[in-house]
């Protein structure tokens, strides 16, 4: 099991980049839109000096400079080699490099070697892929890449000559035009939020691109109403993905406000709905609960995102559910339990068989945790991490409470759960001696004729958890 603050403990980056598109109509449409975008007028500069908002990891920056490349669960050691010359076996790794999240890590390191790598690899991308080659010309990857190029423009442009600067702006403009034509072809949820936020971000920042902002803002408002439910949750029930969506919406709101545009009310309302849910999914140590493909998040990321919105803590979730999770919190102890059916359909492609599983944190110390996503270690570990046995709950004879769908994989290379456990009873109450929860589910009714009930009591001083299965 990884340390709680190890960035590899999160499978979200892998989740975002293993959604590899199969060749077909969407791919052909992307190529056509890219071909047209390359003929658009180039931007000449920034309307205002961009302020970086994305934050990387210093340790990962050092690893990249040393030539240790870890993407989509694959580690390649290649000192002195360009990131574009790495021969990854997993196509998801190549896609992950195209999103330029690694630029955050090099910026976090920030020394001469990191800046040199950042510049060489960025202009290397322009030379090799800027005319439309490679897997990076998809709406979500383009939005992700635009945000990083603009966030770290000062790092990238330092010491560059006029021809290199012009190539940078010309590529930025082509990507914005491409994105304005293709954002709607991103998958609903996080990929589409990435595409629209990147379009808004770049449209506000670059000269000659302002006309593309209003349609993107209107589309983002629609997506906020469609994808964020009334309780501030998302269909995948992945806490770390919810944090990513929240962060993107925060960046869009800040960019609009700083440019003198009024953020749309659905965007503000979505932030106000999500913030309480994230606080309910936050452990006492500041990390998120590890469920449904998500990890605890980078150190401090959750608190930074919550503070940036200005959405002040309101009434707590109390005895209700946040995105299907129940929270018991007393003193400096938090217990978060999966108290709902795993997500199904397209949203369940990375769902875990974790019904009735819980995590317990006391102060800064995780006491009981799930294994989290195994995706950073490859496909087999990803599947293992989804099993009930990888969670702090009961498993029977190797059977998971919800089972993977047999047969061919779904679109984007994901598997859905079938025979999903149904929560048949759920009661929460505040007793004189602490917080109490009782729940039951039907996960083994078909295979064993059994149901599983779990009863938990967390004392008022947060020092004792008692339970019965």
């Amino acid at each position: 099991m990884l340390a709680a603050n190890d960035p590899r403990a999160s499978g979200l980056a892998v989740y975002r980049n293993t959604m590899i598109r199969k060749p077909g109509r969407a791919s052909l449409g992307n190529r056509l839109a890219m071909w047209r975008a390359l003929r658009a007028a180039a931007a000449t500069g920034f309307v205002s000096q961009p302020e970086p908002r994305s934050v990387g990891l210093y340790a990962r920056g050092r690893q990249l400079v040393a030539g240790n490349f870890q993407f989509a669960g694959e580690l390649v050691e290649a000192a002195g080699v360009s990131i574009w010359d790495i021969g990854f076996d997993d196509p998801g790794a190549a896609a992950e490099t195209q999103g330029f999240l690694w630029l955050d890590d090099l910026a976090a390191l920030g020394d001469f070697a990191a800046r040199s790598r950042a510049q060489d690899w960025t202009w290397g991308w322009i030379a090799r892929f800027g005319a439309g080659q490679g897997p990076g010309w998809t709406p979500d990857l383009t939005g992700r890449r635009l945000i990083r190029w603009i966030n770290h423009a000062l790092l990238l442009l330092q010491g560059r000559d006029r021809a290199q600067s012009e190539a940078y702006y010309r590529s930025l403009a082509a990507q914005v035009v491409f994105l304005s034509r293709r954002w709607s072809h991103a998958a609903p949820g996080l990929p589409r939020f990435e595409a629209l936020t990147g379009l808004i971000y770049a449209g506000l920042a670059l000269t000659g691109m302002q006309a593309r902002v209003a349609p993107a803002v209107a589309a983002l408002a629609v997506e906020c109403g469609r994808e964020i439910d009334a309780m501030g949750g998302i269909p995948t029930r992945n806490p770390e993905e919810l944090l990513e969506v929240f962060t993107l919406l925060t960046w869009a709101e800040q960019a609009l406000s700083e440019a003198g545009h009024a953020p749309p009310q659905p965007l503000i309302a979505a932030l106000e709905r999500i913030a309480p849910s994230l606080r309910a999914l936050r452990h006492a140590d500041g990390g998120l609960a590890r469920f449904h493909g998500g990890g605890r998040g980078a150190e401090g990321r959750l608190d930074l995102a919550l503070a940036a919105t200005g959405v002040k803590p309101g009434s707590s979730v109390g005895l209700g559910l946040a995105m299907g999770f129940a929270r018991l919190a007393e003193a400096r102890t938090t217990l978060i339990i999966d108290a709902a059916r795993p997500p199904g359909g397209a949203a369940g492609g990375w769902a875990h068989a974790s019904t009735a599983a819980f995590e317990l944190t006391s102060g800064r110390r995780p006491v009981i945790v799930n294994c989290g996503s195994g995706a950073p270690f490859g496909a087999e570990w990803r599947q293992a991490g989804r099993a009930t046995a990888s969670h702090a709950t009961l498993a029977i004879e190797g059977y998971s409470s919800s089972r993977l769908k047999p047969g061919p994989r779904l679109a984007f290379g994901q598997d859905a759960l079938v025979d999903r456990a149904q929560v048949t009873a759920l009661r929460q109450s505040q007793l004189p001696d602490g917080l109490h929860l009782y729940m039951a589910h039907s996960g083994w009714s078909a295979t064993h004729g059994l149901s599983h009930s779990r009863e938990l009591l967390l004392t008022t001083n947060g020092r004792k958890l008692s339970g019965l299965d």
Side-chain angles (χ1 to χ4, degrees), residues 3 50 105 117 121 259 302 344 365:
D105 302 321
R117 300 298 194 288
W121 296 349
L302 174 57
R365 297 182 180 180

Side-chain angles (χ1 to χ4, degrees), residues 83-411:
I83 195 170
W84 311 123
D85 291 327
I86 303 299
F88 292 107
D89 295 328
D90 188 339
E96 188 173 339
T97 61
Q98 296 275 330
F100 274 69
L101 289 179
W102 48 263
L103 195 53
D104 292 339
D105 302 321
L106 291 176
L109 180 57
D111 60 13
F112 176 79
R115 186 174 75 246
S116 297
R117 300 298 194 288
Q119 293 177 339
D120 291 346
W121 296 349
T122 298
W123 270 269
W125 186 93
I126 294 172
R128 188 173 303 192
F129 305 112
Q133 303 90 342
W137 287 89
T138 61
D140 53 325
L141 287 174
T142 303
R144 194 184 311 169
R145 186 168 57 245
L146 280 173
I147 291 172
R148 270 71 198 180
W149 280 29
I150 294 171
N151 272 350
H152 305 301
L154 296 179
L155 175 75
L156 292 174
L157 292 172
Q158 184 177 352
R160 299 285 95 177
D161 61 29
R162 180 175 178 178
Q164 291 170 323
S165 296
E166 288 176 350
Y168 168 81
Y169 287 118
R170 188 163 54 249
S171 182
L172 277 174
Q175 293 177 67
V176 174
V177 174
F178 166 83
L179 202 51
S180 69
R181 296 175 181 270
R182 296 298 292 177
W183 68 262
S184 62
H185 293 268
L190 179 58
R192 191 168 294 176
F193 282 120
E194 280 191 307
L196 286 170
T197 300
L199 181 54
I200 292 169
Y201 210 70
L204 291 169
L206 293 167
T207 59
M209 298 294 163
Q210 286 69 33
R212 304 179 189 277
V213 173
V217 171
L220 184 65
V222 171
E223 294 300 315
C224 285
R226 179 184 296 155
E227 294 296 320
I228 312 301
D229 65 28
M231 298 303 293
I234 54 177
T236 62
R237 298 189 56 225
N238 180 329
E240 193 179 8
E241 185 181 346
L242 182 64
L243 172 58
E244 289 293 324
V245 170
F246 184 71
T247 300
L248 288 166
L249 296 181
T250 300
W251 289 349
E253 187 274 333
Q254 290 175 331
L256 288 166
S257 297
E258 291 171 3
H261 297 262
Q265 182 54 36
L267 170 58
I268 301 300
L271 291 171
E272 292 175 345
R273 295 197 304 274
I274 296 173
S277 289
L278 283 174
R279 288 190 173 101
L281 296 169
R282 179 189 183 277
H283 277 299
D285 65 350
L288 286 165
R290 303 163 184 82
F291 286 99
H292 298 297
R296 72 183 307 278
E299 189 74 28
R301 177 81 181 280
L302 174 57
D303 290 339
L304 180 65
L306 289 170
T309 63
V311 179
K312 297 181 179 179
S315 58
S316 64
V317 174
L319 299 180
L321 299 182
M323 205 164 69
F325 298 94
R327 174 187 176 91
L328 307 182
E330 295 284 16
R332 297 188 63 209
T333 299
T334 54
L335 184 149
I336 298 173
I337 183 169
D338 189 349
R341 196 177 195 186
W350 274 65
H352 287 201
S354 56
T355 309
F358 70 88
E359 292 195 325
L360 176 71
T361 299
S362 177
R364 300 291 298 175
R365 297 182 180 180
V367 179
I368 299 173
V369 299
N370 300 314
C371 289
S373 173
F377 304 101
E380 292 184 359
W381 281 107
R382 174 179 71 86
Q383 297 296 77
R386 300 173 68 189
T388 298
S390 296
H391 300 81
T393 189
L394 179 71
I396 299 178
E397 296 181 334
Y399 282 81
S400 289
S401 57
S402 301
R403 278 142 314 262
L404 286 176
K405 180 180 180 180
R409 292 178 180 271
L410 299 178

